[in-house]
Amino acid sequence: FRAAESQLQAVANRDIGSLQTSFDTLNIFTIVLSAALSVLVILILWRMFTRFAKALRNQLNALSDSILRLGRGDLSARVQPLASEELNLLGQTLNSMAATVQAQQKVLGERDVLENVQQLNTVLNESLDFDTMVKEFLYNTLVLLGLQLAVLYLYNPQRKVLTLSAAQGFDEKEMHHEFSLGEGVIGLAALNRKPLHLLRPNSDEAEGIIVTT
């Protein structure tokens, strides 16, 4: 009986040891699986975060570029629709503001043009002196076109020359007062009856000045 009891105890201990080994193996597998799943989740979350951050950065860059263009005076700049609801709302608000300012600027510009045209008509109708009329006409034309410098030569059919009539922004005493047709840039423009656009060489005092004849 004691031998059978000892044998039974040994079998029981062996079975318990096998169960303990299986349980330990299962625990190790569970820990490894949990760690692997945790790493996988972290990688997925990191990937999603980087994609979200990149998309958000691109939207912010697009919004910033449009704001910079508007700040430089380019009222035609518009913010394209953005994926972010908040950024898209801000962009559409900026678009509405730019459109409103652009419309107001257009109205003011048309009003200024109308006022300048009326001033030109007043000068032409009220002045009887030819030289005064030409100078006033040239001055108001510069204001109307947003220019600073201008010279007006009129053609004398009897003498067949171009004669200096008025100048704004230049000293008339230092200018050439007469040109024959085809002589110099002015005479060439008058002969061809086509505009000439000249780019002045770069200098410290005047860089990139465009002269229109």
Side-chain angles (χ1 to χ4, degrees):
F1 177 78
R2 290 183 178 179
E5 183 180 1
S6 298
Q7 187 177 4
L8 181 62
Q9 183 67 36
V11 171
N13 290 335
R14 187 170 60 250
D15 291 340
I16 292 175
S18 298
L19 290 175
Q20 184 66 39
T21 302
S22 299
F23 183 74
D24 291 341
T25 303
L26 181 61
N27 283 340
I28 294 173
F29 177 77
T30 303
I31 293 173
V32 172
L33 181 61
S34 299
L37 289 175
S38 299
V39 172
L40 181 61
V41 170
I42 291 174
L43 290 176
I44 293 175
L45 291 176
W46 176 255
R47 179 67 176 175
M48 293 176 60
F49 174 76
T50 54
R51 292 181 62 181
F52 173 76
K54 182 178 179 180
L56 184 61
R57 183 173 63 250
N58 292 337
Q59 295 178 67
L60 289 173
N61 288 338
L63 184 62
S64 177
D65 290 342
S66 298
I67 292 176
L68 288 176
R69 289 178 58 191
L70 290 172
R72 296 190 188 103
D74 182 7
L75 297 179
S76 64
R78 293 294 183 271
V79 181
Q80 299 300 319
L82 303 173
S84 172
E85 183 177 354
E86 292 79 7
L87 293 179
N88 185 64
L89 179 60
L90 177 59
Q92 298 309 312
T93 302
L94 289 174
N95 289 345
S96 299
M97 294 173 59
T100 301
V101 174
Q102 192 174 25
Q104 293 177 349
Q105 205 174 61
K106 182 179 179 181
V107 171
L108 292 175
E110 292 176 350
R111 188 180 66 182
D112 292 340
V113 170
L114 181 60
E115 291 178 353
N116 287 323
V117 170
Q118 291 175 347
Q119 291 178 2
L120 288 176
N121 289 333
T122 301
V123 170
L124 294 176
N125 292 328
E126 291 182 354
S127 179
L128 298 178
D129 182 69
F130 179 77
D131 292 335
T132 301
M133 182 179 67
V134 169
K135 290 181 179 180
E136 289 293 331
F137 175 80
L138 189 61
Y139 172 77
N140 285 279
T141 301
L142 287 178
V143 174
L144 180 62
L145 298 178
L147 303 176
Q148 290 79 36
L149 306 174
V151 179
L152 178 63
Y153 284 87
L154 297 179
Y155 181 64
N156 187 328
Q158 286 78 23
R159 301 178 55 200
K160 296 183 179 181
V161 295
L162 296 165
T163 304
L164 177 64
S165 295
Q168 290 287 341
F170 294 99
D171 187 355
E172 295 186 19
K173 297 179 181 180
E174 298 180 358
M175 299 184 63
H176 199 69
H177 284 247
E178 290 185 349
F179 285 97
S180 300
L181 290 178
E183 179 187 0
V185 175
I186 296 175
L188 183 62
L191 179 63
N192 295 331
R193 297 187 178 182
K194 293 181 180 180
L196 294 178
H197 301 276
L198 305 177
L199 181 62
R200 181 173 180 175
N202 294 336
S203 67
D204 295 336
E205 297 179 355
E207 181 175 352
I209 293 180
I210 295 178
V211 181
T212 302
T213 302

